[in-house]
């Protein structure tokens, strides 16, 4: 973990969660309040839960959206703008998740436009990238992810210091297969080089999260790797007990917040 960057421990609920599950947000918020980790904590939830989740979180943890439209408003039935997420209480948004790239045909330029919209609305942005299993086997992983940074992360956003990158190899998502420590370290080192090339000094402090089958069993090792600035957690963020166990892998803050 970079010593200069406070890690971000983020959850992504994906298309999971009804009103009945909101108590999990309350439990995570209570636990963070009782035992503050030395990390920023964010849970990204479906748009239907956002405003209630934000109320329940009561500022103890941040709540985010999982996607936004690139336009501020307009005739886009079913879509949600970054302003709407912010209005509902979101502090952040994920863009370019591989599930959106895959199932909704999102391209790098589309992701970059969404990231810009989020930035304009004052949301922190997590831009997701990651290679497929085939690309990794072919030896193309570093090049693919470098290209995704170049086309999905606008340079002015990178320079603003409000974006994070989530490296999520597609083959690690929901599979229980986590890359080796060497593979993660190699990729994060490469991404850091790309970010510095893109954004100069600001690129050195952009958080690069790892995502893909993160649980309490591997978070300790992952968070200890150089240039890993946090984790993005799917399945293990749905239950407070699992998410808390990951948070316990981060050292406690010396002082509780006022
Ligand atoms: P899992 O942690 O369930 O593998 O999901 C990772 C992910 O896609 C987070 O965005």
């Amino acid at each position: 973990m970079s010593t200069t960057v406070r890690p971000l421990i983020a959850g992504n609920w994906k298309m999971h969660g009804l009103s009945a599950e909101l108590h999990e947000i309350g439990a995570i918020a209570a636990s963070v309040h009782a035992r503050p980790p030395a990390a920023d904590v964010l849970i990204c939830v479906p748009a239907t839960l956002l405003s209630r989740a934000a109320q329940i979180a009561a500022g103890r943890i941040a709540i985010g959206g999982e996607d936004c439209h690139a336009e501020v408003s307009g005739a886009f039935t079913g879509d949600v703008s970054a302003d709407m997420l912010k209005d509902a209480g979101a502090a952040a948004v994920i863009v370019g998740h591989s599930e959106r790239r895959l199932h909704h045909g999102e391209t790098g330029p589309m992701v970059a436009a969404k990231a810009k919209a989020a930035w304009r609305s004052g949301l922190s942005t997590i831009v997701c990238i990651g290679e497929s299993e085939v690309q990794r086997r072919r030896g193309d992983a570093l090049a693919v992810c470098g290209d995704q940074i170049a086309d999905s992360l606008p340079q002015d956003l990178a320079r603003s210091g409000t974006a994070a990158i989530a490296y999520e190899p597609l083959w690690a998502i929901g599979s229980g297969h986590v890359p080796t420590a060497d593979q993660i370290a190699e990729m994060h080192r490469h991404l850091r080089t790309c970010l510095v090339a893109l954004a100069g000094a600001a690129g050195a402090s952009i958080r690069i999260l790892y995502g893909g089958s993160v649980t309490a069993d591997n978070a300790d090792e992952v968070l200890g790797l150089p240039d890993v600035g946090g984790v993005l957690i799917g399945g293990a963020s749905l239950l407070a007990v699992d998410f808390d166990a990951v948070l316990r892998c981060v050292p406690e803050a010396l002082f509780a917040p006022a």
Side-chain angles (χ1 to χ4, degrees):
M1 189 153 54
S2 166
T3 49
T4 55
V5 177
R6 181 175 163 88
L8 171 62
I9 310 297
N12 173 12
W13 276 21
K14 308 192 179 186
M15 199 171 75
H16 297 287
L18 301 172
S19 306
E21 276 77 59
L22 279 167
H23 67 96
E24 300 291 345
I25 298 287
I28 294 169
S31 145
V32 164
H33 185 65
R35 202 175 153 189
D40 296 329
V41 178
L42 165 72
I43 304 284
C44 297
V45 297
T48 49
L49 297 182
L50 245 175
S51 82
R52 283 174 295 163
Q55 274 170 19
I56 291 168
R60 291 173 172 176
I61 60 170
I63 298 297
E66 300 177 4
D67 175 51
C68 66
H69 197 278
E71 298 295 329
V72 174
S73 62
F76 303 105
T77 302
D79 281 317
V80 177
S81 72
D83 272 357
M84 291 171 179
L85 297 178
K86 175 113 187 180
D87 184 51
V93 65
I94 295 169
V95 295
H97 193 281
S98 61
E99 287 150 16
R100 295 209 58 88
R101 292 179 190 256
L102 187 67
H103 302 304
H104 297 265
E106 291 189 7
T107 61
M110 287 163 72
V111 173
K114 289 174 177 225
K116 267 206 166 181
W119 179 35
R120 275 197 305 265
S121 298
L123 298 174
S124 308
T125 315
I126 300 176
V127 178
C128 297
I129 61 168
E131 83 283 0
S132 69
E133 191 167 10
V134 172
Q135 289 165 333
R136 161 106 7 214
R137 261 197 266 115
R138 283 192 190 136
D140 293 340
L142 297 183
V144 165
C145 292
D147 287 350
Q148 286 179 337
I149 289 216
D151 69 11
S152 303
L153 179 64
Q155 189 181 47
D156 45 3
L157 170 58
R159 291 203 164 132
S160 77
T162 64
I165 291 290
Y167 166 58
E168 301 202 300
L170 275 59
W171 49 276
I173 294 176
S175 66
H177 300 306
V178 181
T180 64
D182 282 351
Q183 286 173 322
I184 296 176
E186 178 190 41
M187 178 60 80
H188 280 238
R189 190 167 49 242
H190 174 65
L191 297 176
R192 177 66 66 210
T193 304
C194 296
L195 289 170
V196 170
L198 178 72
S205 56
I206 290 175
R207 288 188 283 207
I208 309 173
L209 316 183
Y210 167 76
S213 297
V214 172
T215 67
D217 292 338
N218 52 38
D220 207 17
E221 182 178 26
V222 171
L223 286 168
L225 295 172
D227 276 317
V228 172
V231 285
L232 180 56
I233 308 165
S237 71
L238 295 174
L239 298 178
V241 63
D242 294 335
F243 190 77
D244 255 11
V246 175
L247 285 179
R248 297 294 154 250
C249 298
V250 180
E252 275 180 63
L254 290 178
F255 302 101

